[in-house]
Amino acid sequence: MKFQFFASIAAALCLSANVGAAAFDNVAPMSDTDGNPVNCHGGGILKVDSVYYWYGEHRPGHEANYQKGVSCYSTTDLVNWKNEGIVFEKVDDPSSEIQKHCTIERPKVVYCPKTGKYVLWFHHELAGRGYEAARCAVAESDTPVGPFKLKWSGRVNPGVYPMNMEPRQVKGIVPDEWWTEEWFKLVDKGVFVERDIDGGQMSRDMTVFVDDDGKAYHVYSSEENLTLQIAELNDDYNAHTGKYIRIFPGGHNEAPVVFKHGGKYWMVTSGCTGWAPNKARMMWADDMLGEWHMVEGKTPCIGPDAELTFGGQGTYCAEMGGNLVFMADKWTPKCLAGSGSLWLPILFDREGTPVIPFVTKW
Ligand code: DGJ
């Protein structure tokens, strides 16, 4: 009953369900065209001609006790998803950065018109070091279905200060107590940017956004997950240019999802509560590297469980079948392979602010 209620809200908000049969089922577990459970998490979508490619984290499950790499599924009808296999594979060599016990999270693939390459960006953690490496990594392929080959893995923009921070105000300070008022001031002034300036900025949860003018940006949780940073990419989409900003210092945002609507850039993020769901936040800007504004206290989600993002955590916004789709993961940390997906419409109210209702099937 409550789902029908929200489906009718979606209809009232002019949800243009241009797809034929119900493409997205937000309750039943997803299977591929071979009848196997889909294993694709924290990922994103790339459309090439009429084919949608869905890339995501492969997670250990019945077929392997370690993460194999980045998985890919394809579809032309948004209903039947074909397993394209592991398109970026870790290697069975303990001396390699991408050895099988490293961690790959939040992979995103974009197509670079200049080079003709498909470029994969992901959050990369080195084997046996938990989340401390906090790197991003780039791999490239000549085809959307791989094989993607590692180009580099590392931190962001070593030696370069963000465009919107005054350097050397808090250089050399090592805060001894966290979460105090004094500590928040230090974070705001960039104490962790200074700490990491030589080796480069931390990069954990991330996405890549390609603007209408072809400029691409890497958006990532940095500075111990306390501050988001947005870094411009070069024309090959495979490195940073050195131009970057920090936004909402100390705001503790993860899982950035970026889209453009009505000339504005929107970002939906989560708070930092590990695998547990929390209340999504939203923010906007007129320019990707300009000033970002938080829509204070408001989540784009509406309806029951909206305060917990319907049990999910955002990962990407894709245009599919004429709709903007908010993709999220319903993490099940005891078996991450079994984590489910939410695919929800992004609608806009009269003021042009994003609204995400829960729709069972659409
Ligand atoms: C939340 C992040 O969004 C996930 O990608 C993952 O890194 C977990 N934290 C790990 O606890």
Side-chain angles (χ1 to χ4, degrees):
M1 189 63 194
K2 70 180 176 197
F3 297 136
Q4 277 166 10
F5 174 65
F6 280 95
S8 63
I9 285 195
L13 282 161
C14 300
L15 166 61
S16 55
N18 293 337
V19 286
F24 309 121
D25 183 334
N26 288 310
V27 178
M30 265 177 99
S31 299
D32 64 20
T33 47
D34 297 324
N36 295 316
V38 166
N39 191 340
C40 199
H41 314 278
I45 298 279
L46 177 70
K47 191 173 182 214
V48 181
D49 302 323
S50 56
V51 184
Y52 295 89
Y53 293 95
W54 176 16
Y55 302 91
E57 302 158 11
H58 167 269
R59 288 290 182 175
H62 58 278
E63 85 280 32
N65 63 0
Y66 62 92
Q67 182 190 42
K68 289 184 182 171
V70 175
S71 43
C72 176
Y73 293 79
S74 68
T75 186
T76 51
D77 59 10
L78 299 176
V79 178
N80 299 293
W81 291 89
K82 177 180 169 223
N83 186 355
E84 299 284 358
I86 303 295
V87 294
F88 175 70
E89 245 184 294
K90 294 182 181 177
V91 298
D92 200 0
D93 169 3
S95 67
S96 166
E97 288 178 311
I98 52 163
Q99 66 128 304
K100 64 184 186 179
H101 296 298
C102 76
T103 300
I104 292 174
E105 290 188 352
R106 299 192 173 264
K108 306 290 177 292
V109 174
V110 289
Y111 173 69
C112 179
K114 186 185 157 206
T115 60
K117 301 266 187 208
Y118 294 85
V119 190
L120 163 70
W121 282 77
F122 58 91
H123 168 198
H124 184 206
E125 295 292 348
L126 300 177
R129 289 177 49 188
Y131 281 88
E132 77 172 32
R135 291 180 175 194
C136 56
V138 177
E140 287 181 335
S141 162
D142 292 327
T143 79
V145 290
F148 285 85
K149 294 283 167 229
L150 185 71
K151 203 164 171 61
W152 64 274
S153 157
R155 292 268 181 102
V156 180
N157 286 327
V160 185
Y161 280 97
M163 294 154 69
N164 61 348
M165 180 188 133
E166 199 184 312
R168 289 174 281 277
Q169 287 185 97
V170 284
K171 198 170 170 54
I173 298 179
V174 182
D176 47 12
E177 211 187 327
W178 283 40
W179 312 114
T180 62
E181 213 178 302
E182 195 47 37
W183 176 86
F184 270 109
K185 283 188 195 148
L186 291 172
V187 171
D188 192 43
K189 288 184 175 160
V191 77
F192 293 112
V193 175
E194 292 285 6
R195 184 197 64 185
D196 295 338
I197 199 73
D198 295 339
Q201 300 301 305
M202 297 176 107
S203 170
R204 291 198 182 117
D205 276 14
M206 55 138 280
T207 193
V208 173
F209 172 74
V210 182
D211 204 347
D212 318 324
D213 63 1
K215 276 248 166 278
Y217 302 87
H218 175 212
V219 182
Y220 50 100
S221 301
S222 191
E223 305 174 37
E224 302 289 352
N225 282 4
L226 291 161
T227 302
L228 287 166
Q229 295 186 353
I230 304 178
E232 186 188 67
L233 300 187
N234 65 1
D235 294 344
D236 294 350
Y237 296 174
N238 60 15
H240 303 102
T241 60
K243 277 173 85 174
Y244 73 112
I245 59 166
R246 48 200 303 262
I247 61 171
F248 307 110
H252 233 192
N253 288 286
E254 274 193 329
V257 173
V258 179
F259 51 96
K260 194 175 185 181
H261 179 82
K264 272 195 169 88
Y265 300 90
W266 288 94
M267 194 183 319
V268 176
T269 64
S270 72
C272 298
T273 51
W275 300 111
N278 56 54
K279 182 175 169 184
R281 299 108 180 250
M282 64 175 150
M283 44 212 88
W284 63 273
D286 289 320
D287 180 342
M288 277 299 282
L289 295 179
E291 200 179 331
W292 281 80
H293 312 271
M294 180 71 71
V295 183
E296 282 304 337
K298 266 191 127 184
T299 167
C301 303
I302 55 166
D305 299 329
E307 295 288 299
L308 286 180
T309 316
F310 315 114
Q313 184 186 32
T315 180
Y316 200 66
C317 170
E319 201 178 316
M320 289 193 258
N323 302 290
L324 273 186
V325 180
F326 179 73
M327 298 167 63
D329 297 283
K330 289 187 287 177
W331 298 116
T332 48
K334 282 197 182 137
C335 173
L336 285 170
S339 304
S341 297
L342 289 176
W343 306 64
L344 299 170
I346 303 182
L347 310 172
F348 295 89
D349 68 13
R350 280 201 190 88
E351 281 77 48
T353 306
V355 177
I356 305 177
F358 184 85
V359 184
T360 322
K361 283 188 189 190
W362 59 299

